[in-house]
Each structure stands twice: as C-alpha cells, then as structure tokens.
C-alpha cells in the first residue's frame, strides 16, 4: 500500500492535505515552529487569509466571497477585455 499524501486545491476554498499516513506531514509556521496536526486524518489550510483558526480553514472564505486565483484571474481578464478600445 502506498503512503501517498495528496494536496487538493478546493475551488475558491482551502488547500486540503490528506493521505495514508498524516504523521508524515510536518506543518511549520513562519518562525519555523511546528503546528500540531496530531489526530487529524486531513488538514484544510486557509487560502483566503480571513480564518480565525489560521493556518487552518474555518469556512470564512464562503462568507466573504473569496475567489481563488483561477476565478479571480478570469474575472480580471473579462473586465479588462470590456474596457479595451475596440472590444
């Protein structure tokens, strides 16, 4: 059996890390201090910056209308195309 770890980027949501052996996942903060993930079968990391449980997701992204890079870029490109002369 494989000891794979998968990171899934949820559409307009968190990064979800899951795998066969989550004990192999080491999460550290900006100072290098380890963040406990003990007892978790998966972890969801905040991508919107508004979670009150950082670095973990608390669902705030859905309340604030967070858009991931892909959606934000598509909206930006569409708006830009509308404002171009001759468009």
């Amino acid at each position: 059996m494989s000891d794979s770890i998968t990171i899934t980027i949820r559409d307009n949501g968190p990064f979800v890390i899951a795998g066969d052996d989550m004990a192999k996942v080491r999460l550290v903060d900006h100072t290098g201090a380890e963040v406990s993930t003990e007892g978790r079968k998966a972890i969801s990391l905040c991508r919107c910056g508004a979670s009150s449980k950082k670095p973990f997701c608390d669902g705030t992204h859905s309340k604030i209308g967070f858009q991931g890079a892909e959606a934000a870029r598509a909206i930006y490109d569409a708006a830009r195309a509308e404002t171009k002369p001759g468009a």
Side-chain angles (χ1 to χ4, degrees):
M1 180 181 236
S2 170
D3 286 338
S4 68
I5 301 291
T6 302
I7 301 172
T8 304
I9 304 167
R10 293 260 171 96
D11 192 27
N12 301 322
F15 295 112
V16 179
I17 303 169
D20 301 325
D21 187 0
M22 287 299 290
K24 291 184 177 183
V25 175
R26 184 170 176 251
L27 183 61
V28 296
D29 69 13
H30 65 284
T31 67
E34 193 156 346
V35 177
S36 175
T37 59
E38 188 175 336
R40 295 177 181 255
K41 294 183 182 198
I43 54 176
S44 296
L45 298 177
C46 177
R47 194 162 61 129
C48 73
S51 173
S52 63
K53 297 182 178 182
K54 287 183 195 89
F56 303 107
C57 176
D58 68 358
T60 299
H61 61 274
S62 61
K63 296 175 188 162
I64 65 169
F66 172 74
Q67 294 182 331
E70 303 81 9
R73 184 64 200 211
I75 291 168
Y76 172 81
D77 288 344
R80 193 162 180 222
E82 290 177 8
T83 61
K84 280 187 178 179

